[in-house]
Amino acid sequence: MLANILAPHGPPVGAKLSSFVAGDYSIHFFLQLALILAACRGVGWLGRKYLAQPQVVGEMIAGVLLGPSLFGLIAPDLQALIFPRDTNGLLYAGAQFGVSLYMFLVGLTLRLDHFRSKARNAAMVSAAGLFAPFLIAVLITPGLVAVPGLFAKGIGQGSATLFMGACIALTAFPMLARIINERGLADSPLGTLSLTAGAFDDAASWCVLAVVLALFGGGGSVAVLAIAGGFLYVGFLLMFGWRLLAPLGRAVEARGEMSMTVLAMTLALFCLSAFVMDAIGIHGIFGGFILGVFMPRGLFVEELKKKVEPVAVVMLLPMFFTYSGLNTRLDMVNSLPFLLIALGILAASITAKFGACYAAARLSGEDNRTALGIGALMNSRGLMELIIINIGIQKGIIEPALFSMLVLMAIVTTMMAGPLFEIFYGRQARAEGELAQLGMAA
């Protein structure tokens, strides 16, 4: 009966005996969303209870489990029936909307006073978080290119090095924001410093990816549009953003609440900002985050979060994790040499990101405990890593084996972030009353 319900009901198209019609997409979407919500809540609860991991890590793992790594392994026909390739575009759009809206909310809570006071430190941490990974990439990529089955045939060593550097330099910006929120760091200088440095590192990594795509056949205009467009957009908001958006805040203050009209205008501006960053080749999440930074504060933020945050966090964001999980296979590292290479990439990545960001934080004047906490958070890569390596495999830059190694690196470094942060910083800070007691969102 389920097979009949989920089967395509449209006319034949090409070699396919039948095609999907509008009603088929909605049937799949609602079933997918129900399964996604149940899996993310369930795995998140298990992660919080037994592994001391925040909800967001459980959601990341749930997304991978719903893909071919587990669900597709034990019940491939059922998994293909519920998540057919024809519906991937719909799930992708929902995933991008969810994560971009969440990052818009994160931008709303960014403490600009902390940013100004920590700008120098954030710049040093960000620079170290870029320089060291690309240096490591220069050292390890020649050996990786020489191993068959890792990089695509014909890719130049320069392009391969830039791609590996971008992968190692990434910080899991959306997950970093979620971890910071769940651990009570949203209003802290450490949280603002980590978010700011992470944003710079990810934006730079996406620009580097644009260069790689240009070198690999996308054309030089791809890189020029991404980098120049990003600078122009941020420059425009720096010059005019607060002045143009201030009337929205005044309207909320005058009424004492946010009207549906102001909410609609705000969400339309968010969608436009995400569109701009997507269109120039960076990513919609940065459009959401950057616009959030320039939005009015005060009652405007309180009202907007009250109306939007529950749906964004509970319903929309899990689609982001699941979409990436559908493209992830953890069974590809199937030989001892590949396992050793995967472990080497993991060790090099941790050394480059954790070590460099810790050292930079210390040199910028942070105490040892704070520097270790920053290093632990910046080392998390999460689903941003999965996004960039999915682009890499779709564009023919890397092969499935290297893709899977980088997936393992993303999962391990993300799972490390929370426990290491608590060991290095969180426990003592809570004991001294600097942070609220840990109560991860249910």
Side-chain angles (χ1 to χ4, degrees):
M1 182 181 297
L2 182 63
N4 290 332
I5 293 173
L6 297 179
H9 297 92
V13 175
K16 295 182 179 180
L17 298 177
S18 57
S19 60
F20 279 78
V21 295
D24 295 329
Y25 287 108
S26 66
I27 288 173
H28 280 84
F29 180 74
F30 288 126
L31 179 59
Q32 289 170 359
L33 190 54
L35 187 60
I36 289 168
L37 292 176
C40 287
R41 287 287 112 184
V43 177
W45 178 82
L46 291 173
R48 293 195 312 274
K49 184 173 178 63
Y50 297 106
L51 299 176
Q53 293 287 343
Q55 173 70 27
V56 63
V57 174
E59 291 176 2
M60 182 189 76
I61 295 172
V64 174
L65 297 182
L66 286 174
S69 298
L70 182 65
F71 189 18
L73 190 64
I74 61 178
D77 293 338
L78 181 60
Q79 198 269 350
L81 192 65
I82 297 175
F83 294 100
R85 289 187 178 274
D86 298 78
T87 66
N88 279 2
L90 184 62
L91 191 61
Y92 174 82
Q96 299 312 301
F97 177 69
V99 72
S100 299
L101 183 59
Y102 180 75
M103 292 312 300
F104 174 58
L105 297 174
V106 171
L108 289 171
T109 60
L110 187 68
R111 289 285 300 272
L112 298 178
D113 55 338
H114 288 168
F115 172 77
R116 295 185 186 99
S117 66
K118 294 291 183 178
R120 172 180 169 275
N121 296 20
M124 290 187 65
V125 171
S126 177
L130 288 171
F131 176 76
F134 279 95
L135 177 60
I136 289 290
V138 169
L139 297 176
I140 68 173
T141 303
L144 296 177
V145 172
V147 177
L150 297 184
F151 281 99
K153 293 180 180 179
I155 187 171
Q157 186 167 306
S159 296
T161 301
L162 287 174
F163 182 81
M164 282 300 298
C167 289
I168 297 173
L170 272 175
T171 291
F173 192 36
M175 299 192 70
L176 174 63
R178 188 85 180 269
I179 291 171
I180 284 173
N181 281 345
E182 290 182 356
R183 296 189 177 258
L185 296 167
D187 293 329
S188 70
L190 184 150
T192 300
L193 190 157
S194 299
L195 267 181
T196 305
F200 287 154
D201 284 0
D202 277 14
S205 295
W206 282 102
C207 290
V208 169
L209 178 62
V211 173
V212 173
L213 293 176
L215 294 174
F216 203 64
S221 60
V222 175
V224 172
L225 179 63
I227 298 171
F231 275 112
L232 286 174
Y233 183 59
V234 173
F236 172 81
L237 288 177
L238 280 169
M239 293 178 65
F240 306 109
W242 282 295
R243 190 183 314 163
L244 293 175
L245 297 170
L248 293 173
R250 290 197 293 267
V252 174
E253 295 287 348
R255 186 185 177 105
E257 63 177 1
M258 178 174 288
S259 67
M260 292 297 105
T261 299
V262 172
L263 177 61
M265 293 175 62
T266 301
L267 292 178
L269 288 171
F270 150 72
C271 291
L272 184 61
S273 183
F275 160 77
V276 169
M277 295 302 279
D278 242 345
I280 65 176
I282 299 181
H283 202 283
I285 67 168
F286 294 105
F289 176 76
I290 291 168
L291 183 67
V293 170
F294 291 93
M295 277 289 172
R297 294 304 195 256
L299 185 61
F300 178 89
V301 172
E302 296 175 16
E303 285 288 301
L304 185 59
K305 291 187 69 176
K306 183 167 59 177
K307 293 178 182 297
V308 175
E309 189 171 43
V311 175
V313 171
V314 176
M315 177 174 284
L316 299 178
L317 195 57
M319 283 193 284
F320 172 72
F321 299 109
T322 301
Y323 177 80
S324 293
L326 292 177
N327 297 310
T328 302
R329 297 198 53 132
L330 298 181
D331 59 346
M332 295 301 298
V333 184
N334 53 8
S335 68
L336 181 59
F338 274 7
L339 179 60
L340 293 176
I341 292 174
L343 293 175
I345 291 175
L346 175 63
S349 301
I350 294 172
T351 301
K353 196 71 177 179
F354 181 98
C357 291
Y358 163 76
R362 288 290 286 149
L363 290 173
S364 67
E366 301 291 344
D367 59 71
N368 188 62
R369 181 167 61 94
T370 301
L372 286 170
I374 291 169
L377 292 174
M378 293 290 290
N379 187 51
S380 171
R381 289 173 179 84
L383 268 295
M384 289 302 289
E385 183 78 15
L386 295 185
I387 289 176
I388 200 170
I389 62 178
N390 270 292
I391 293 173
I393 199 168
Q394 289 165 6
K395 298 294 184 180
I397 298 172
I398 59 176
E399 297 289 342
L402 181 56
F403 175 87
S404 301
M405 295 175 189
L406 293 173
V407 168
L408 288 172
M409 184 263 283
I411 292 176
V412 172
T413 56
T414 303
M415 293 189 70
M416 289 170 57
L420 286 182
F421 173 80
E422 286 299 316
I423 292 172
F424 294 144
Y425 184 89
R427 291 177 183 172
Q428 185 175 343
R430 295 179 207 288
E432 296 175 358
E434 298 176 21
L435 295 175
Q437 291 303 308
L438 187 59
M440 296 180 191

